[in-house]
Amino acid sequence: MSNRTASTVVVYHSGYGHTQRMAEAVAEGAGAVLCAIDADGNLSDDGWAALDAADAIVFGSPTYMGGPSWQFKKFADTSSKAWFTSKWQDKVFGGFTNSASLNGDKLNTLEYFVLLAGQHGGLWVSLGVKPANVKASKRDDANRMGSYIAPMAQCDADAAPSEMSIGDLETARAYGERVARVAQRFASAQGA
């Protein structure tokens, strides 16, 4: 077995700081590098190099108007350069999103991420946290949004990132751990 540690990169766009807070929670759980997509939808050359070298890539974007932000979409379209040469083939993928509304069509954003990972020939990691869906459930419980694909968060439109649900952030952190654990299993198997 290989002793090589799998590397994870969280690539995200954040419009108001909420997605950045989720990205930091995922990165904490995964021991990952953060790569921010800027307000113009660009990623640094170092960011692209980190993605190419990573064993796992986690996508993050707020859900705006039923899908990922245009800045994330620009990044995704630019990733076609990696697609042409299969640079991200067989990498482990994940993602996360948030919106101001309880539903907010966040599922559409996560499905977009799954499809993007599939186009790159990647392997998607599901959330693996059962939903908090009983009468006793509270706002700060893990997976209160009831997602199975990946973490979803909700924060009121007039709330600061510091007011996000602790449960949403814990769900993101636990997901980061899961993605890193799966990536490590694949990295170890490749070294065997």
Side-chain angles (χ1 to χ4, degrees):
M1 285 250 174
S2 171
N3 290 329
R4 184 176 74 79
T5 301
S7 63
T8 302
V9 174
V10 177
V11 60
Y12 70 96
H13 170 254
S14 183
Y16 300 98
H18 303 90
T19 305
Q20 179 177 338
R21 192 139 186 243
M22 280 190 82
E24 291 166 352
V26 171
E28 177 187 333
V33 172
L34 287 168
C35 290
I37 300 165
D38 70 20
D40 295 321
N42 298 314
L43 187 64
S44 70
D45 289 341
D46 288 344
W48 287 109
L51 291 170
D52 292 346
D55 295 292
I57 298 172
V58 182
F59 301 134
S61 173
T63 296
Y64 294 154
M65 304 305 291
S69 67
W70 72 263
Q71 292 91 338
F72 187 90
K73 182 69 169 83
K74 180 180 176 183
F75 156 79
D77 289 350
T78 306
S79 78
S80 64
K81 294 173 186 170
W83 175 84
F84 277 114
T85 58
S86 300
K87 280 188 179 178
W88 298 354
Q89 180 84 23
D90 296 332
K91 290 185 186 289
V92 171
F93 283 87
F96 60 91
T97 190
N98 67 85
S99 69
S101 299
L102 282 174
N103 180 319
D105 297 318
K106 291 185 275 286
L107 180 59
N108 192 50
T109 299
L110 293 181
E111 289 173 338
Y112 177 88
F113 293 162
V114 172
L115 181 55
L116 180 60
Q119 287 176 321
H120 280 285
L123 309 163
W124 187 263
V125 177
S126 65
L127 181 56
V129 175
K130 290 193 170 52
N133 60 3
V134 296
K135 288 192 290 185
S137 298
K138 303 288 184 237
R139 179 181 186 270
D140 286 334
D141 288 347
N143 197 15
R144 70 186 178 106
M145 295 287 104
S147 178
Y148 289 94
I149 293 177
M152 294 180 179
Q154 181 272 331
C155 194
D156 297 330
D158 58 350
S162 62
E163 297 176 89
M164 290 181 74
S165 161
I166 299 303
D168 289 350
L169 295 173
E170 175 54 26
T171 303
R173 190 201 60 73
Y175 184 66
E177 282 184 359
R178 180 173 166 85
V179 169
R181 198 168 47 249
V182 170
Q184 186 61 52
R185 289 174 78 180
F186 276 97
S188 294
Q190 289 174 344

